Amino acid sequence: MAFGIKRQELAAWKEQVARGEIAYLTHYWIDPRFPGITSVTKVGCADLNRLEQWCREHSLDPHYIHRRQPFPHFDLMGSRQKEILKQEGLNEHISRFHL
């Protein structure tokens, strides 16, 4: 279950993804399969080659990309989530979601 984001944030993420840009959307998330995880960052890009390259640049396995059209994305969680958000200069995501 996702919560903690505004409609316009989701719409902006979808627009960026559709344009083939790497886009980040962090939101609160609860799933019993992942105890202790309270948020996820969806890194999306409609250009799958570009998204796969982004994964490799961050030492992530592109096999785990959710290849759902029209918004393919990779889910970042846990310590890697915070580490990559920091690398990308997305400190607002870190502070807003208490990572």
Side-chain angles (χ1 to χ4, degrees):
M1 173 185 295
F3 52 99
I5 57 172
K6 298 175 182 139
R7 268 194 193 115
Q8 73 189 137
E9 290 174 300
L10 179 58
W13 180 83
K14 286 180 175 182
E15 288 173 13
Q16 286 180 289
V17 171
R19 286 193 304 263
E21 299 172 18
I22 297 291
Y24 298 84
L25 180 70
T26 302
H27 59 79
Y28 288 114
W29 180 68
I30 297 173
D31 187 315
R33 296 174 297 167
F34 302 97
I37 300 295
T38 59
S39 68
V40 63
T41 298
K42 295 194 174 297
V43 182
C45 185
D47 179 340
L48 284 171
N49 290 327
R50 188 171 183 188
L51 186 55
E52 289 172 358
Q53 181 61 35
W54 179 91
C55 287
R56 286 189 285 278
E57 288 170 3
H58 290 86
S59 301
L60 300 168
D61 188 346
H63 173 78
Y64 293 104
I65 292 172
H66 296 273
R67 297 171 187 272
R68 299 181 193 127
Q69 293 299 332
F71 306 111
H73 64 277
F74 187 95
D75 289 332
L76 287 175
M77 297 178 270
S79 62
R80 292 290 286 153
Q81 176 187 16
K82 182 178 180 180
E83 178 184 324
I84 290 171
L85 288 172
K86 189 177 257 188
Q87 287 172 2
E88 297 294 330
L90 298 168
N91 297 317
E92 191 272 333
H93 290 241
I94 294 168
S95 60
R96 180 175 168 194
F97 294 95
H98 309 286
L99 303 177

